[in-house]
Amino acid sequence: MGMDFAPPKYAQVMRTIQERIESGEYAPGDMLPSETQLVRELGVGRTTVVRALQTLAMQGWIEREHGRGSFVKGRPQSAVEAVRPSLSTTEQGEDADAVLEAGRVAAPRHVARLLGVAEGTPLVARKRVARQADVVSAVETIWVPLEHAIGTDLDKPEPLRRGVRQHLQAVKHLRFDHITERVSARKPTKEETELLGSSSPVLGVLATVHDAAGDVLMVVSLALPGNLHVLEDVFKVS
């Protein structure tokens, strides 16, 4: 189609802040502008700013203190410009039109196997889409066992103000420890084709989210159009 897609808005906000840190405009120890100030200055939504700050904190560029704000730590010693699709999915809040389905479902075979339960076991599933320049850029599904989902808002169609990770930590006191992520190129399903408006190959991400004991807290599935996404990682060679 000859269309050029810019990086997601949250990634653009991240890069702007990183460049200011690297140039010394934001020095270590400085407090960053408030979320409201960044929204006004950069012309993006609050959800975009929050996601950018959460990711910068996760990568070690800044430190967020509840009730105070975000403070510069500086460029991480091993600044990793890595894309972790499944973690990003659990971190982000939701736009008003993001959620497609939310409620109880029977566990599909591949999800049941990853969770260590019988096929057909009741789970809570949350399916949503991400958009980039009014184009659907990802189809995301999260499957959560009932014992972790009951009492949360994961089965409700209303958008979550905070990411799934933050919501589960606040409501159920669950803490993510590590994620096992598998990426493969595949054909989109019929439903994904309809949502994405294309039958072109996608990057399929299937991930299991674990607690410190190694138990699986949820399964995350993503369909990422190959023409919109590049998965990049930087790692130290010892």
Side-chain angles (χ1 to χ4, degrees):
M1 296 175 62
M3 297 176 65
D4 292 328
F5 288 85
K9 289 184 179 179
Y10 85 94
Q12 297 177 42
V13 173
M14 285 178 58
R15 191 63 212 145
T16 296
I17 295 174
Q18 288 169 336
E19 289 174 350
R20 293 178 181 180
I21 291 174
E22 291 176 324
S23 71
E25 181 179 349
Y26 296 159
D30 284 353
M31 179 185 288
L32 290 181
S34 68
E35 293 175 5
T36 300
Q37 290 173 311
L38 290 171
V39 165
R40 291 174 180 170
E41 178 188 352
L42 302 177
V44 296
R46 182 174 295 274
T47 299
T48 298
V49 168
V50 170
R51 183 178 179 185
L53 294 176
Q54 288 173 337
T55 307
L56 287 170
M58 182 176 62
Q59 293 183 354
W61 290 84
I62 66 173
E63 183 175 12
R64 306 191 76 198
E65 297 185 13
H66 182 69
R68 294 191 62 200
S70 299
F71 296 84
V72 176
K73 294 177 67 176
R75 181 179 178 86
Q77 185 174 2
S78 56
V80 177
E81 309 292 342
V83 179
R84 308 294 191 196
S86 54
L87 179 59
S88 178
T89 295
T90 67
E91 295 279 1
Q92 63 188 355
E94 297 171 344
D95 295 328
D97 58 349
V99 183
L100 302 177
E101 301 173 16
R104 295 195 183 192
V105 300
R109 179 179 301 175
H110 70 292
V111 174
R113 177 170 48 82
L114 293 172
L115 289 172
V117 300
E119 182 179 355
T121 298
L123 306 173
V124 164
R126 191 171 188 84
K127 181 176 294 184
R128 60 194 187 183
V129 294
R131 289 181 171 84
Q132 179 179 323
D134 296 325
V135 174
V136 174
S137 59
V139 180
E140 310 169 346
T141 308
I142 297 171
W143 289 275
V144 185
L146 291 185
E147 62 264 31
H148 300 326
I150 290 175
T152 73
D153 293 334
L154 296 183
D155 61 346
K156 300 177 182 178
E158 293 78 19
L160 296 175
R161 297 176 60 186
R162 295 180 290 179
V164 172
R165 179 184 180 185
Q166 290 78 13
H167 184 67
L168 284 174
Q169 183 172 318
V171 178
K172 302 292 284 191
H173 307 294
L174 297 176
R175 292 187 177 274
F176 294 4
D177 182 77
H178 61 280
I179 297 177
T180 300
E181 189 173 86
R182 185 181 70 195
V183 182
S184 61
R186 61 173 175 81
K187 293 182 178 180
T189 65
K190 181 179 179 180
E191 181 183 24
E192 291 167 350
T193 296
E194 293 175 353
L195 291 170
L196 296 170
S198 171
S199 60
S200 298
V202 298
L203 295 174
V205 180
L206 188 62
T208 49
V209 180
H210 303 255
D211 62 15
D215 295 330
V216 180
L217 301 178
M218 68 173 66
V219 172
V220 179
S221 175
L222 307 175
L224 308 175
N227 63 324
L228 299 185
H229 293 270
V230 175
L231 303 186
E232 179 180 359
D233 202 350
V234 177
F235 51 90
K236 185 176 179 59
V237 179
S238 56

